[in-house]
Amino acid sequence: MYVDVILRQKGRFSDMLFSYRVPDSLENKIDIGYRVSVPFGKSNKPIEAIVNNLKSENESEGTDFEIKEIFDVLGDEPLISRENMELISWMRDRYICTYLDCLNLFFPKGYTLNSTKIVKPVFSIEELTVEQEMSLDQAERKIINELYLSKEDVSYDSLTSRHSKSKLDSLISKGLVNIQWSYKEVVNEKKIKTVFLDEDLKCKIQMDSDYINCLKLGKKQLETVNFLILNDAVEQSALLDLLGVSNQTIKSLEKKGIIKIKEESHFRAPKQFLTVENKKIDLNSQQREVVDRIIEGIREQSRKPYLIHGVTGSGKTEVFLELIEYVLSQGMESVFLVPEIALTPQTIARVKNRFGNIVGVFHSQLSEGEKYDVFREVKNGNIRVVIGTRSAIFLPFDSLGLIIIDEEHDFSYKSEKTPKYDAIEVARYKAFKSNVAVVLGSATPSVPDYYNAKNGDYELLELNKRANNNLMPEISIVDMRKELHSGNSSPLSKELVAKMDLELKKGNQVILFLNKRGYANFMECKDCGHVFKCKNCDITLTNHKSLKKGICHYCGYEEHIPERCPKCNMTNIGSVGVGTEKIEELVSNLFPNHKTLRMDRDSTKKKNGVQKILEKFNKGEADILIGTQMLSKGHDFANVTLVGIISADLMLNFPDFKSYEQTFQLITQVSGRAGRGEKLGQVVLQTYNTEHFAIRSAANYDFKGFYETEIKLRKTFGYEPFNSIIRVVFANSDESVAKENSFRFRDTLKYLMEEKGIDSVRSILGPNECSIRMINNKFRWQVIIKNHGVDIKLLKSMIKYICIKKYENVFSKGIDISIEINPNTFI
């Protein structure tokens, strides 16, 4: 029997399968998805690998090289299911990446295999002949003596650090020692020791209270036994703290057979700060209709995803909870994906309130140990509902029945790191392959997903009124050009300030939204025009006044703002633009008697920073909350009656084909934070572009009108969903290298396309500089490829052939290549 394995080793072998023979003794212990230890390279170093395929002996005949045997099978069951191994192969082709890139998504962070090169004597000391011993010089004899006297394996590195390597090589050539590899599996588990009385002893003490005197125990030992009589089992660490006993006391009692110690794996659950009232909410008629339709589809094993288009506040979360409850009743598991875990504490609290200890949380901010624990508990069936970010979709569910993707329009569902996968596409694959129900929900669905729904690829379900039957907040548009002409140069319009004053006097809360953190966009010298720029990126530094620093929001570089211009030595340094920090300063001056909170990346850097700010605002400890797009992520504030959108134009003017869509989505989502309780809400939308269709559509909550205009633009220019777009970015510290390699790629792809009779002119755009030409000291050039009349599978196979298989033949050493399908941005 033979296996094909994926090596867990980066480099040029990361996209190759390697064949190994399976020893007869291991044939019944191995299958697809098992972890194995295999010899690799000339030294046969043990490498960790995953079995990708099983083969009979006939399939491997005719090879002209010796096939090595695997060393060992690691674990008693597959780490990755057959279904997920198939998903790895699909993702490798879909996202133009390697086996290892995809494998790492499914592999828990707590498993490692440590390999050590060791030196061992060939003969025992009794077998060593006189002639062999006489052939040794003094240095060689020292090495041999150390090996014989050592009670543990001696590593090659430690031995050569103390002795001559040439002398060790001499011993190897004489056949007296050899080099071997040892390996040790390490699992990142936290173990808890629990102490309890021996059952027989406990019975005897209960029957005869004087029996304890026969045990001849010391004072601390007796105190420990009496404590355990009253308590069934106690964690050893707690016992030591409570009674002040030593580890020696515990060991002595265990040795006498008086107590037992059990070691168990401990689940490291992250702390939950925000709590919500646990109350059962009766679904309204629209919600019930949506739930019943999806349950009917689950029963029919429909493979078509569902798209719930529900206005903000329509109660999509309650629909999701009802579906989870149904799926659990059928013995299946659920995963509830959210865009960003730190921004959804209310949702987490509601899910945990409803389903209790079977709920797990999974996201990138967990420690490696916490991630491993969630993986293990899901695999063991102890966690049956997971709420998490996009990576939670790769957890090892045994019988996954439901995937919910909340705020499905959010860009965070697409990975920015290789493999640059789309969680929604992965969910659709699972729906098709494994009959998993996939439910997408949003008040502002992405244009491609709504297109899919309109064309029947998804089933479209609608919730077009708020769950509390309140009207949607009225949105009034303020033309900031008129504000300027009237003499108001403040970023806050007169209408917004007046409405804030009125609502605050009523005891209501206000949210102000500006999608730009910091104090100001950039700093410049008013005398010579010098602009302060990042030293690592081709971008200006954002002024953070509270820190007295300019900070790059791409690489994190920061520098203190000098009093004098470094170019002309004048002191007339000013700020241009406005950020959340400046808005906070203005609002504090306008409303000094009202507490203000700011929620952006700067104010939430500390652990649980978001939850603490939201908790304060929910409790009414602040009247005004100022923030970036963090505010748009589904928060439910019952007392917010006014939302002010400071500048709707920031996203609108981005050099990106999705900027109109993002603008519409942000306005709609942020506006939805108002009037979610019993009080009516209102929104003030400030803009310099009052007639733009994205602004007008958002102000009228007209998603369908926005969609109809946007989809026509997408069709005219051949953007998604009408064509797939592949972006290939080349980065290097030397701009000429980045540029040259982008042209090499373009020319090679053009050649391959023309060999197939394909017109490359309409398909290949560029090479050209990226909008931000340098990030983190690396210059960036890009090539954009559209599949105009070209089979996308053929196009991707060509790109993979050039960028992965022939990488060393085509490109310069050290060039970074990033490949993305249908990217969120071209910046």
Side-chain angles (χ1 to χ4, degrees):
M1 181 182 182
Y2 294 80
V3 292
D4 288 333
V5 302
I6 303 169
L7 298 179
R8 289 206 69 221
Q9 179 171 293
K10 291 181 180 179
R12 59 194 182 98
F13 304 118
S14 59
D15 196 44
M16 297 174 65
L17 296 176
F18 290 85
S19 295
Y20 286 86
R21 190 192 308 275
V22 180
D24 294 341
S25 60
L26 295 178
E27 280 197 5
N28 295 325
K29 299 179 181 179
I30 197 168
D31 204 345
I32 290 173
Y34 270 82
R35 294 170 65 225
V36 291
S37 172
V38 298
F40 191 74
K42 291 181 180 179
S43 66
N44 286 328
K45 179 181 179 180
I47 296 289
E48 188 178 14
I50 293 286
V51 177
N52 184 70
N53 187 34
L54 304 178
K55 302 191 297 188
S56 67
E57 294 201 27
N58 291 333
E59 291 178 281
S60 299
E61 286 181 356
T63 56
D64 56 357
F65 53 87
E66 180 186 356
I67 296 181
K68 299 176 182 179
E69 285 190 350
I70 66 171
F71 282 139
D72 200 3
V73 176
L74 306 174
D76 299 323
E77 59 182 357
L79 187 73
I80 301 175
S81 67
R82 278 177 175 261
E83 292 79 7
N84 281 338
M85 291 303 297
E86 291 176 4
L87 176 55
I88 285 171
S89 294
W90 176 81
M91 290 181 67
R92 170 180 172 264
D93 292 334
R94 170 66 183 161
Y95 301 113
I96 316 179
C97 56
T98 68
Y99 278 117
L100 183 61
D101 290 332
C102 299
L103 179 63
N104 287 337
L105 296 170
F106 296 83
F107 211 94
K109 304 299 181 183
Y111 288 102
T112 53
L113 190 72
N114 293 336
S115 300
T116 308
K117 189 189 288 188
I118 60 173
V119 183
K120 284 201 167 187
V122 174
F123 307 105
S124 67
I125 195 167
E126 294 84 6
E127 294 172 328
L128 195 66
T129 66
V130 174
E131 290 80 7
Q132 289 171 327
E133 190 171 357
M134 292 295 291
S135 71
L136 302 177
D137 62 24
Q138 188 175 359
E140 292 170 339
R141 189 171 281 108
K142 281 185 179 180
I143 295 174
I144 285 288
N145 286 340
E146 182 175 336
L147 294 174
Y148 281 134
L149 291 173
S150 177
K151 294 179 180 179
E152 298 178 348
D153 289 338
V154 179
S155 78
Y156 177 86
D157 291 339
S158 66
L159 195 67
T160 53
S161 69
R162 296 188 299 275
H163 302 280
S164 165
K165 185 177 179 297
S166 62
K167 293 299 179 183
L168 179 59
D169 292 339
S170 174
L171 289 172
I172 294 171
S173 65
K174 290 177 181 179
L176 297 179
V177 302
N178 61 21
I179 307 295
Q180 298 178 11
W181 282 94
S182 72
Y183 58 90
K184 182 181 180 182
E185 183 183 9
V186 180
V187 178
N188 187 358
E189 281 189 322
K190 184 176 181 180
K191 298 285 189 178
I192 296 292
K193 289 183 178 180
T194 307
V195 181
F196 53 94
L197 278 181
D198 177 76
E199 283 299 321
D200 291 339
L201 177 66
K202 194 172 184 179
C203 289
K204 288 176 182 178
I205 293 172
Q206 288 171 344
M207 292 174 65
D208 180 6
S209 58
D210 292 331
Y211 181 79
I212 196 170
N213 298 322
C214 304
L215 299 176
K216 297 180 180 180
L217 301 175
K219 183 182 176 181
K220 283 295 182 181
Q221 290 178 331
L222 183 62
E223 191 178 346
T224 303
V225 171
N226 283 327
F227 184 85
L228 291 173
I229 290 171
L230 300 174
N231 299 274
D232 290 336
V234 183
E235 283 186 24
Q236 182 171 321
S237 58
L239 193 65
L240 298 178
D241 291 338
L242 287 169
L243 302 182
V245 298
S246 65
N247 278 312
Q248 191 57 43
T249 301
I250 302 297
K251 288 179 182 177
S252 176
L253 288 171
E254 183 186 24
K255 194 173 182 180
K256 291 178 180 180
I258 294 172
I259 65 170
K260 304 285 184 184
I261 299 176
K262 182 168 65 174
E263 191 174 59
E264 294 179 312
S265 296
H266 173 68
F267 178 57
R268 291 162 280 200
K271 290 181 181 179
Q272 180 182 338
F273 285 85
L274 196 66
T275 57
V276 296
E277 185 182 350
N278 188 12
K279 57 183 179 180
K280 176 71 175 177
I281 298 175
D282 294 325
L283 301 184
N284 61 32
S285 58
Q286 274 196 344
Q287 291 171 317
R288 175 51 58 192
E289 187 177 331
V290 168
V291 169
D292 290 345
R293 177 65 199 100
I294 296 173
I295 288 176
E296 181 185 350
I298 293 173
R299 289 172 178 161
E300 294 172 351
Q301 295 190 329
S302 170
R303 299 185 180 190
K304 186 179 288 190
Y306 301 90
L307 174 61
I308 301 176
H309 179 205
V311 299
T312 54
S314 59
K316 292 184 289 295
T317 302
E318 284 303 319
V319 169
F320 298 152
L321 296 180
E322 285 289 317
L323 293 173
I324 291 171
E325 191 163 282
Y326 172 78
V327 166
L328 285 171
S329 73
Q330 303 303 303
M332 296 182 291
E333 301 146 334
S334 301
V335 60
F336 188 153
L337 299 187
V338 291
E340 197 168 344
I341 205 76
L343 306 180
T344 51
Q346 291 171 322
T347 304
I348 295 170
R350 287 170 70 180
V351 176
K352 284 196 168 187
N353 279 353
R354 183 80 168 259
F355 302 110
N357 292 332
I358 63 169
V359 176
V361 178
F362 191 84
H363 53 90
S364 61
Q365 293 175 22
L366 296 180
S367 68
E368 297 302 309
E370 288 170 334
K371 288 178 184 176
Y372 168 78
D373 285 355
V374 175
F375 180 95
R376 182 194 65 217
E377 294 300 292
V378 169
K379 194 167 180 62
N380 293 340
N382 298 325
I383 289 178
R384 300 180 61 207
V385 179
V386 173
I387 180 167
T389 48
R390 61 176 182 257
S391 57
I393 202 169
F394 302 114
L395 287 168
F397 296 98
D398 182 53
S399 54
L400 185 62
L402 176 66
I403 299 172
I404 293 166
I405 303 181
D406 194 17
E407 309 292 359
E408 66 86 30
H409 65 276
D410 199 280
F411 280 9
S412 63
Y413 287 119
K414 281 191 178 181
S415 172
E416 294 179 352
K417 297 179 180 178
T418 303
K420 298 191 174 182
Y421 67 90
D422 184 341
I424 294 176
E425 289 185 344
V426 174
R428 289 177 61 184
Y429 174 90
K430 284 180 172 283
F432 179 76
K433 284 287 186 178
S434 306
N435 285 326
V436 177
V438 173
V439 180
L440 314 175
S442 177
T444 54
S446 73
V447 170
D449 284 325
Y450 197 74
Y451 177 83
N452 287 333
K454 296 287 284 184
N455 283 279
D457 294 331
Y458 297 167
E459 184 167 338
L460 181 61
L461 304 169
E462 294 187 327
L463 296 170
N464 50 33
K465 63 179 181 180
R466 287 192 152 182
N468 60 6
N469 290 316
N470 270 4
L471 296 173
M472 296 297 293
E474 182 182 350
I475 301 178
S476 61
I477 298 177
V478 175
D479 190 340
M480 294 303 286
R481 293 169 298 184
K482 291 182 179 178
E483 290 286 317
L484 281 174
H485 293 153
S486 68
N488 180 22
S489 59
S490 168
L492 303 178
S493 64
K494 294 173 184 176
E495 180 178 337
L496 177 56
V497 172
K499 287 185 175 180
M500 286 177 68
D501 186 46
L502 185 62
E503 294 304 315
L504 291 170
K505 284 177 179 175
K506 291 179 182 177
N508 298 326
Q509 290 176 304
V510 174
I511 284 177
L512 297 180
F513 167 76
L514 176 65
N515 204 26
K516 185 72 178 177
R517 61 189 172 105
Y519 187 82
N521 296 4
F522 63 93
M523 299 160 289
E524 72 172 357
C525 175
K526 302 295 184 181
D527 288 306
C528 71
H530 172 72
V531 175
F532 291 82
K533 299 186 74 173
C534 176
K535 291 184 178 179
N536 305 320
C537 308
D538 184 30
I539 195 166
T540 56
L541 293 174
T542 301
N543 182 7
H544 288 251
K545 187 178 179 181
S546 61
L547 300 173
K548 296 182 179 179
K549 290 179 180 179
I551 299 177
C552 175
H553 290 172
Y554 280 84
C555 75
Y557 170 79
E558 56 185 55
E559 65 179 48
H560 285 281
I561 303 169
E563 293 182 0
R564 292 183 175 275
C565 173
K567 191 173 180 181
C568 69
N569 203 36
M570 301 300 287
T571 59
N572 194 13
I573 295 173
S575 296
V576 178
V578 61
T580 50
E581 200 179 312
K582 188 170 184 177
I583 296 298
E584 182 182 28
E585 182 181 271
L586 286 170
V587 169
S588 296
N589 291 331
L590 285 168
F591 303 100
N593 297 323
H594 294 276
K595 174 125 177 102
T596 300
L597 288 172
R598 175 165 53 89
M599 191 168 81
D600 53 29
R601 294 293 176 204
D602 301 314
S603 63
T604 58
K605 280 181 179 178
K606 292 182 180 178
K607 193 170 184 180
N608 303 309
V610 172
Q611 290 93 324
K612 289 174 182 176
I613 290 173
L614 292 177
E615 189 173 19
K616 283 182 180 179
F617 196 62
N618 265 317
K619 288 180 177 178
E621 295 177 17
D623 306 308
I624 305 164
L625 179 60
I626 301 163
T628 56
Q629 63 181 358
M630 288 181 165
L631 296 175
S632 68
K633 310 283 185 176
H635 306 301
D636 203 341
F637 306 115
N639 201 39
V640 171
T641 55
L642 174 65
V643 167
I645 299 173
I646 307 299
S647 176
D649 306 311
L650 282 178
M651 289 302 304
L652 198 62
N653 297 321
F654 261 50
D656 199 286
F657 83 95
K658 289 187 178 181
S659 61
Y660 300 165
E661 180 181 8
Q662 273 194 287
T663 299
F664 177 88
Q665 289 167 345
L666 274 174
I667 293 172
T668 306
Q669 294 289 339
V670 175
S671 299
R673 300 315 109 205
R676 294 178 76 92
E678 298 302 317
K679 303 172 184 178
L680 292 176
Q682 56 182 321
V683 180
V684 175
L685 192 163
Q686 301 182 168
T687 178
Y688 291 90
N689 198 342
T690 57
E691 299 305 315
H692 196 283
F693 79 94
I695 301 287
R696 283 289 167 188
S697 298
N700 295 319
Y701 297 104
D702 184 12
F703 173 80
K704 292 177 182 177
F706 166 78
Y707 168 80
E708 291 300 333
T709 303
E710 178 70 11
I711 202 71
K712 289 174 184 175
L713 289 173
R714 299 276 181 101
K715 189 172 185 178
T716 300
F717 293 103
Y719 290 129
E720 188 187 12
F722 299 101
N723 286 297
S724 287
I725 299 173
I726 303 172
R727 183 191 190 206
V728 186
V729 177
F730 301 85
N732 193 268
S733 56
D734 185 332
E735 184 173 15
S736 63
V737 172
K739 179 179 179 180
E740 180 188 346
N741 280 271
S742 68
F743 275 89
R744 283 188 203 173
F745 169 77
R746 191 276 310 271
D747 294 341
T748 309
L749 180 61
K750 184 178 178 182
Y751 171 78
L752 291 178
M753 291 177 73
E754 290 173 355
E755 282 288 299
K756 295 283 185 180
I758 301 168
D759 179 13
S760 62
V761 175
R762 293 185 65 215
S763 296
I764 302 176
L765 305 177
N768 58 273
E769 289 180 324
C770 296
S771 297
I772 301 176
R773 62 190 279 265
M774 184 174 70
I775 292 179
N776 234 344
N777 285 317
K778 290 197 173 180
F779 294 92
R780 305 158 70 238
W781 278 69
Q782 66 182 3
V783 178
I784 307 297
I785 307 108
K786 294 183 181 181
N787 67 321
H788 275 300
V790 186
D791 178 23
I792 187 64
K793 290 182 179 178
L794 176 61
L795 198 56
K796 287 196 291 184
S797 68
M798 290 178 179
I799 294 170
K800 184 167 187 176
Y801 176 80
I802 299 167
C803 294
I804 296 177
K805 191 169 183 179
K806 293 296 181 182
Y807 174 90
E808 293 177 348
N809 303 97
V810 177
F811 302 110
S812 303
K813 188 176 181 180
I815 188 75
D816 292 338
I817 303 177
S818 170
I819 305 170
E820 189 170 5
I821 314 294
N822 295 323
N824 284 330
T825 177
F826 292 101
I827 293 175

